[in-house]
Every structure is written in C-alpha cells, then in structure tokens.
Amino acid sequence: MRKSAQNHETLKQKLNPERMPRHVAIIMDGNGRWATRRGMPRAIGHRAGVSTLREIVKASVELPIEVLTVYAFSTENWRRPQDEVLALMQLLVEYLDLEAENLRRNNVQVRAIGQVEDLPLEAQEKLAAVARLTSANRGLVFNLALNYGGRAEIIRACRTLAGLVQEGRIRPEEISPEVFSNSLYTAGLPDPDLVIRPAGEMRLSNFLTYQAAYSEIWVTNTFWPDFTRSDYYQALLAYQRRERRFGGL
Ligand code: FPP
C-alpha cells in the first residue's frame, strides 16, 4: 500500500461510526490560487478540483455519509471573467457526462440546489437527466449547489410561504422552523452537521445560511485540488471530538 493510502486508512480507522455527521457540506475553495501558484490558468485549477470532488464523493459513499452538499457555483460567481464562468459550466457538463453512470451504480442520488433555471440550457438538461437517472437511489444524497446563494434561498422560501398565506392555505402563526426548512432547497434533509472549508478563509460566503446555524465549521489551509481523503477524515475526526450544545449547556 502507498504511504498516503496507509495514512488515510489509519485515520479512517480512528473514526467512530456512531458519531458520524449525517450531513457534510463543503466550500470547494482555492482552485484559482492552486493554479496561479503553478503558473497555470485558473480553469486548470477547477479541473483539478473536479478530481478532488470525485474522490470525496467516493469516500462519502464508503463511510457512509447520508448527505453531501458541495458549493460548486455561487450566485456571486457570475462576476468572474466570462471565460472562467464558461470553463466552469463546461466542466460541470463534462463531469455529469462522465460520472452519471458511476453515481447511479454507487446508489448516489444527485440533486441540484440553487437557481438552476438560470444556468446554461445544456447544464440544466444534464442536471435534470442525472437527477432522473439517480432518483430511485437511496444511498448518499449528493447536492450540487449551483447558482446557489443562501440569502436568495431564504427570500425564495419567504415568497413561497407568503404566497401560501395569501391563498389562505397556511396561517402566518403556522410558519415554524420546520415549515420554513421545508420551503428551502434542502427540504426533508437534515441540516449540515459539519461545514468544511479548504483554502483558509474563515467565512461561510452565503452557503447554507439558514441551515448552517448550528453547523460545526472546520477550516484547512490546503487548497481544494490538494484536499485528500486524509484531510476529509481529519475534518471528521475533529468534528467527533467537538461537543455540540445547540445553545444548551
Ligand atoms: C472556488 O475556487 C471554487 C469555485 C468557484 C468553483 C468550484 C468548482 C469546482 C471544484 C469544479 C466545478 C464543479 C463541478 C461539479 C464540475 P476559487 O476559484 O475561488 O479559488 P481562489 O479563491 O483560489 O481564487
């Protein structure tokens, strides 16, 4: 066995299966810096980021984790140069083409969260096709956050609920945290227990703003393309060592 494989296997064995997070969310950051430091175009960093994503999905299936949500494109990412946005959309289409069958075979249920209707048509069609292909799977729920923004999601939920109030289908006092959660893209799923952020930034960047209210956050300086199974297991071990109080004692 290679040394790195040995290292991550050792870490994996330290995990307590009874204290696994149900939902892990990841802000896949640092692709651009990873590429720039190597004198390469940013798009190459995103491509390397897709390889990491493949490995982490595989690791999540094996553990197993119930829900994995990854931040692939934010509502703010449209501000990037047009060629970078285009490269990201092309990578998404390529990823879905290459991985669809593999995800289906591994019992992964793929979903997209965000304003998917504003993505290029080809990306929308591929996402819908993969979602359809994997809809009967009952293993890992894999959410791809695309054109996603936490505030936009909250506003969308408010509009939905306001509409229901207007139609007399729900009374304002019936809007509870549960009802509100069920109006979000992540309806029916547990809130993220753990948010992992590579590349050192200590913020949530509009990711799962409502759902992450009590999430544990784990940050590493490692850029996403260099993020390995060992980093993933280290994040999970750190999570298992923490005491979660949810505001109690
Ligand atoms: C942040 O790195 C990353 C993104 C904006 C996109 C994340 C996308 C991928 C990992 C690949 C595409 C995903 C799929 C599913 C095909 P950054 O560019 O902000 O890095 P920087 O902060 O170093 O500039």
Side-chain angles (χ1 to χ4, degrees), residues 1-223:
M1 208 188 288
R2 282 182 307 122
K3 193 157 170 278
S4 64
Q6 216 169 15
N7 184 27
H8 72 63
E9 275 307 316
T10 314
L11 287 168
K12 191 179 178 185
Q13 278 158 19
K14 289 188 186 159
L15 286 167
N16 178 351
E18 270 150 42
R19 284 181 62 112
M20 291 303 276
R22 294 182 65 193
H23 183 171
V24 176
I26 306 182
I27 301 175
M28 305 186 288
D29 196 14
N31 299 343
R33 275 166 284 172
W34 181 91
T36 307
R37 288 205 183 164
R38 285 165 174 73
M40 297 193 290
R42 293 173 56 83
I44 301 290
H46 295 311
R47 186 169 286 280
V50 175
S51 299
T52 302
L53 179 60
R54 275 203 200 96
E55 194 62 17
I56 296 307
V57 170
K58 212 159 119 197
S60 305
V61 168
E62 288 166 15
L63 277 165
I65 296 288
E66 266 179 67
V67 186
L68 175 71
T69 303
V70 297
Y71 210 177
F73 194 85
S74 76
T75 43
E76 287 70 38
N77 285 152
W78 296 108
R79 294 187 203 138
R80 294 188 176 204
Q82 206 190 344
D83 62 340
E84 186 172 341
V85 171
L86 208 67
L88 278 165
M89 294 302 153
Q90 272 163 2
L91 265 180
L92 171 66
V93 167
E94 203 180 294
Y95 170 77
L96 294 170
D97 273 342
L98 280 172
E99 288 296 299
E101 188 44 35
N102 191 23
L103 292 162
R104 188 195 63 76
R105 251 188 292 115
N106 280 288
N107 202 19
V108 176
Q109 188 187 112
V110 181
R111 304 183 187 185
I113 64 168
Q115 288 156 241
V116 177
E117 59 281 8
D118 295 331
L119 294 177
L121 207 58
E122 192 185 9
Q124 286 186 50
E125 285 168 359
K126 299 275 176 198
L127 283 165
V130 177
R132 220 176 311 117
L133 181 73
T134 62
S135 63
N137 283 350
R138 290 295 171 263
L140 176 74
V141 172
F142 176 36
N143 290 318
L144 279 161
L146 289 158
N147 196 21
Y148 174 88
R151 287 185 175 179
E153 179 186 34
I154 291 170
I155 291 168
R156 177 179 168 274
C158 289
R159 287 186 181 148
T160 306
L161 291 168
L164 293 178
V165 169
Q166 205 169 32
E167 290 166 16
R169 291 165 58 189
I170 186 171
R171 281 179 286 119
E173 54 277 20
E174 285 174 324
I175 302 174
S176 61
E178 289 69 36
V179 169
F180 200 84
S181 287
N182 282 324
S183 308
L184 299 170
Y185 291 120
T186 48
L189 299 176
D191 285 337
D193 302 291
L194 172 66
V195 176
I196 298 177
R197 179 150 197 169
E201 243 61 81
M202 304 271 187
R203 53 176 170 262
L204 278 175
S205 299
N206 206 16
F207 187 43
L208 303 175
T209 308
Y210 184 89
Q211 300 90 327
Y214 283 104
S215 302
E216 295 294 327
I217 303 179
W218 189 83
V219 176
T220 174
N221 286 328
T222 303
F223 294 137

